[in-house]
Amino acid sequence: MEREAEIPSVATDKDEVDIDAVARDAAASIAAAPSSDALTHIETEVLGKRSVLAKAHRALGKLDPESRREVGRQLHEVRTSLEQQLAARRNELAAAERMIALAADRLDLTEVIPDQVRFPLSRGHLHPVTQARDELEDVFVGMGFEVAEGPEAESDWYNFEALNMPPAHPARGMYDTMYLDIGQPETVLLRTHTSPVQIHLMEEAVRNDSLPIHAVMPGKCFRLDTPDARHLPVFNQIEGLVVDRGITFGDLAGTIQVFTEAYFGPGMQSRLRPAYFPFTEPSAEFEITCTICRGEGCRTCSHTGWVELGGCGMVDPAVFTAVGIDFQVWSGFAFGFGIDRLALMRHEIPDIRSFLENDIRFLSEF
Ligand code: DAH
């Protein structure tokens, strides 16, 4: 410690310590301390065990009683005063250091970085399939439907049996099903269509005595398909269900026509062709005017002017019975179609896999 060398080593002898001078020197270095760290060092030097003051204090015992009292009093005064000065300087320095730290952390929120002005940051947007789903919901809500959802993992009962497909029913062959082994006693699978949500809604309405139902149910579906230009193993459907008194096939056809024009634009037509689904009777496939050629005939519609959108029909009495709804009192229709397919047709996208490739150049087109 260089500093110690400067301090008179004869501090043990009170006559050789000029207490006033020590106090003045100490006060000067306290006032000049450039930082809190420096002040901590100075404190040790002026008041610490090896300081001139401490040594002088230790030497008090060698003095005669009278001088001892006098010198002791002086030492005490000086110490108290230096302690006060240290505390005051410490506060000053801390405040100044805080200001410096704050200034360093300061963010200028009005700052304009020239490159960001020339190349604005892209904010991104919803995926085209999500956009289609949102628009579909809007159209159906505008027609008086509610939007509902159901689970993606289902039991065999919801996905098949309650929909009038008992075990070994041949229609099960339409659905290449992914089964889940999660230790449940019953068969659990990833739903192959959104139709099981119909069952949930009807069960709930029976439980709450809240019929009628007017709902659409969008969601993910899963089938063990190899991806190709028109198929994905994970895709989206939207299901519709109306259960009320006196619902007829005319209501179904009318609803689909109103939807077609509301979603695709005025002049777009819809038509129904006989089909088979286990959960509806009678069943139909619905087609709409080809969105690409507007009915003129093109490659997409195989020159028919029509493209198939989905399935529909009148709710089969067996389905009503499965959920405990009296089909003598209530009737209803249902429909379901693929949202990805719809977006594909609408944007004339040649390959459905583009939706899952996350290629920003493709996604930013929409
Ligand atoms: N769930 C059927 C499928 O994915 C589509 C469908 C057909 C839904 C007829 C319906 C319906 O609600 O009535 O193949």
Side-chain angles (χ1 to χ4, degrees):
M1 288 200 167
E2 275 170 47
R3 177 90 193 208
E4 203 174 354
E6 292 164 29
I7 296 171
S9 56
V10 285
T12 45
D13 184 338
K14 81 111 189 161
D15 289 338
E16 294 191 29
V17 178
D18 180 344
I19 295 178
D20 285 345
V22 170
R24 268 197 313 275
D25 283 357
S29 30
I30 290 169
S35 68
S36 301
D37 284 348
L39 192 66
T40 306
H41 284 293
I42 291 169
E43 177 168 17
T44 317
E45 276 169 16
V46 303
L47 297 180
K49 267 193 236 144
R50 308 173 75 174
S51 64
V52 179
L53 289 179
K55 285 175 182 166
H57 196 267
R58 281 196 294 275
L60 283 178
K62 294 187 183 152
L63 300 178
D64 58 85
E66 202 174 316
S67 328
R68 191 189 305 154
R69 207 177 312 119
E70 176 54 19
V71 175
R73 189 188 55 75
Q74 278 180 32
L75 286 175
H76 178 71
E77 263 176 21
V78 168
R79 174 171 280 273
T80 312
S81 157
L82 289 178
E83 276 168 0
Q84 282 166 0
Q85 292 173 49
L86 279 162
R89 182 65 185 148
R90 193 174 295 115
N91 284 342
E92 261 173 43
L93 286 169
E97 282 160 12
R98 223 173 88 78
M99 293 304 289
I100 291 167
L102 283 179
D105 282 351
R106 184 165 171 269
L107 288 180
D108 181 357
L109 299 180
T110 64
E111 184 178 35
V112 172
I113 299 170
D115 265 4
Q116 285 188 356
V117 176
R118 278 189 288 136
F119 311 109
L121 286 177
S122 153
R123 299 187 57 203
H125 59 68
L126 294 178
H127 189 277
V129 173
T130 310
Q131 288 179 33
R133 173 186 161 148
D134 286 355
E135 286 163 17
L136 287 167
E137 286 182 14
D138 284 351
V139 167
F140 282 115
V141 166
M143 290 167 68
F145 286 81
E146 280 175 45
V147 179
E149 283 186 3
E152 292 173 1
E154 284 286 18
S155 65
D156 188 273
W157 158 261
Y158 285 100
N159 197 79
F160 292 124
E161 213 161 332
L163 288 164
N164 199 24
M165 279 180 276
H169 191 286
R172 288 188 178 216
M174 297 196 300
Y175 305 102
D176 283 323
T177 309
M178 295 192 227
Y179 291 91
L180 296 177
D181 185 0
I182 53 172
Q184 295 291 109
E186 77 257 20
T187 303
V188 182
L189 47 81
L190 291 175
R191 68 179 176 197
T192 58
H193 49 176
T194 42
S195 301
V197 191
Q198 290 186 29
I199 304 300
H200 287 288
L201 290 191
M202 288 191 274
E203 282 182 342
E204 198 181 297
V206 169
R207 221 179 299 126
N208 302 335
D209 197 16
S210 61
L211 285 169
I213 297 170
H214 306 88
V216 288
M217 306 137 246
K220 276 200 182 74
C221 305
F222 308 83
R223 289 183 202 173
L224 207 54
D225 278 337
T226 305
D228 65 24
R230 290 184 51 75
H231 298 89
L232 287 173
V234 180
F235 55 99
N236 296 272
Q237 284 190 341
I238 186 163
E239 190 84 11
L241 176 69
V242 169
V243 179
D244 208 335
R245 291 187 163 86
I247 296 292
T248 69
F249 202 87
D251 296 314
L252 168 60
T255 301
I256 287 185
Q257 178 55 32
V258 169
F259 157 72
T260 303
E261 284 203 71
Y263 185 75
F264 292 98
M268 293 290 286
Q269 294 297 313
S270 64
R271 69 177 190 182
L272 303 178
R273 300 200 315 166
Y276 171 76
F277 295 100
F279 30 92
T280 41
E281 181 58 34
S283 301
E285 264 160 13
F286 65 95
E287 300 184 332
I288 59 164
T289 314
C290 176
T291 52
I292 299 193
C293 62
R294 299 246 145 195
E296 300 276 295
C298 66
R299 256 185 43 212
T300 301
C301 60
S302 311
H303 303 282
T304 61
W306 296 94
V307 286
E308 188 200 314
L309 199 57
C312 60
M314 302 304 290
V315 178
D316 194 293
V319 174
F320 279 140
T321 305
V323 295
I325 290 179
D326 183 352
F327 62 84
Q328 306 283 11
V329 179
W330 303 94
S331 58
F333 66 76
F335 57 85
F337 55 89
I339 301 177
D340 316 67
R341 282 258 165 102
L342 192 80
L344 206 68
M345 275 161 40
R346 193 154 179 206
H347 299 297
E348 301 180 33
I349 296 164
D351 192 324
I352 199 168
R353 288 170 292 192
S354 317
F355 283 142
L356 291 189
E357 277 164 0
N358 277 341
D359 183 334
I360 198 73
R361 290 164 302 181
F362 169 80
L363 292 173
S364 55
E365 296 279 308
F366 305 95

